[in-house]
Amino acid sequence: MRTPLVAGNWKMNKTIAETRDLVFKMSLQLREINGVDKVLCPPFMSLMAASALLEGSGISLGAQNMHWEEKGAFTGEISPAMVKELCRYVILGHSERRAYFGETNEIVNRKLISAQTFDLTPIVCVGETLEQYESNRTREVVSAQTSQSLRDVSPAFASRIIVAYEPVWAIGTGKASNGIEANAVVKDIIRPALTELFGSETAQAIRVLYGGSVTASNAAEFFGQPDIDGALVGGASLKIDEFAAIAKAAA
Ligand code: PGA
């Protein structure tokens, strides 16, 4: 049995003051919901404030990105050792990182190996663009992203990895995929790639989330699918009632 997980990716939203307000109110609702792992991923600047408010709440923190090196001359970057002080999780290879900041599968893999070293639980994002989707290249793209981004880690660590299938055309567009189609990608493309990397037992243990325009009204459709273990939520994770309803649906 894979425990469901919902993660809120706040992206570049909310100041520290706004984070305090939102985390406080959200935690009051989320802490009542059991049977699902709950993760909030505010911007780096707000992690410290969020961490203080979430102590003892059973709600975890995640970073939205990190560098792979422990320290050094990398102006503007945040290291895994720094992330580890406040977070249990880290999102790696989000499509916005891939599209706007040139992150390749190789870079995502370096970060993943670093997450292993620093004992962080990674949420690794994969997903095809609209153009790739329309030209029937989903299998090729998602399979390569999975096998190249997730290689060279130990089987013990692999079982802790979380994969998020996020079709790029569904992110922030209000045009979510549907449960059956998303489940098919996970079952027929992502899990076989994981099986090839780690063997079937580990591949079955890895949690795979869906992401892309998840809302309180469509969440149950995805969570009802056998191969989808939760959601990586963007826009709706900034709304207290919406995100709490998604967490409830996952539980
Ligand atoms: P969205 O974003 O829920 O706003 O579509 C999802 C994501 O980018 O993780």
Side-chain angles (χ1 to χ4, degrees):
M1 270 302 283
R2 299 182 294 260
T3 306
L5 182 145
V6 292
N9 173 11
W10 290 16
K11 310 193 180 184
M12 197 173 73
N13 292 296
K14 305 297 174 189
T15 62
I16 296 173
E18 290 166 344
T19 297
R20 280 207 184 94
D21 184 55
L22 185 56
V23 166
F24 176 72
K25 290 176 182 155
M26 199 167 286
S27 68
L28 293 178
Q29 291 214 28
L30 289 181
R31 62 200 312 161
E32 305 299 326
I33 305 167
N34 299 307
V36 53
D37 291 345
K38 297 156 284 189
V39 186
L40 301 182
C41 307
F44 288 128
M45 291 289 292
S46 296
L47 286 170
M48 186 97 172
S51 166
L53 287 164
L54 290 177
E55 226 178 286
S57 68
I59 302 161
S60 302
L61 269 184
Q64 297 174 18
N65 175 40
M66 66 178 192
H67 197 275
W68 60 85
E69 291 286 352
E70 179 178 359
K71 60 184 175 185
F74 301 99
T75 302
E77 290 293 320
I78 304 283
S79 89
M82 297 167 191
V83 169
K84 178 66 190 175
E85 285 186 305
L86 295 170
C87 299
R88 180 194 292 211
Y89 295 86
V90 61
I91 299 173
L92 299 178
H94 188 278
S95 65
E96 286 148 19
R97 301 289 323 165
R98 293 176 186 264
Y100 307 142
F101 303 98
E103 288 198 14
T104 59
N105 293 330
E106 194 203 338
I107 291 174
V108 177
N109 183 245
R110 271 196 223 177
K111 295 182 176 191
L112 182 82
I113 291 168
S114 181
Q116 173 176 259
T117 307
F118 287 88
D119 193 30
L120 284 156
T121 299
I123 302 174
V124 182
C125 304
V126 299
E128 80 286 3
T129 64
L130 181 61
E131 191 206 335
Q132 291 160 342
Y133 175 71
E134 285 177 340
S135 54
N136 288 318
R137 292 176 56 213
T138 300
R139 174 177 295 278
E140 169 201 333
V141 171
V142 173
S143 179
Q145 285 177 335
T146 308
S147 47
Q148 290 169 25
S149 302
L150 273 72
R151 68 181 168 207
D152 297 333
V153 291
S154 75
F157 179 70
S159 61
R160 273 178 53 193
I161 295 173
I162 293 153
V163 176
Y165 169 55
E166 299 205 303
V168 180
W169 47 269
I171 295 178
T173 58
K175 269 183 52 188
S177 181
N178 64 73
I180 291 176
E181 202 173 337
N183 191 73
V185 172
V186 179
K187 178 172 180 283
D188 301 332
I189 302 174
I190 295 177
R191 274 202 217 281
L194 295 174
T195 303
E196 195 156 309
L197 284 168
F198 308 119
S200 118
E201 197 178 320
T202 301
Q204 287 303 322
I206 293 176
R207 290 181 282 182
V208 184
L209 315 178
Y210 167 78
S213 297
V214 173
T215 62
S217 34
N218 65 17
E221 175 188 341
F222 293 101
F223 301 156
Q225 301 295 328
D227 280 277
I228 296 175
D229 306 311
L232 180 55
V233 185
S237 74
L238 295 166
K239 299 174 192 153
I240 298 164
D241 293 340
E242 212 37 43
F243 192 61
I246 293 169
K248 242 180 229 156

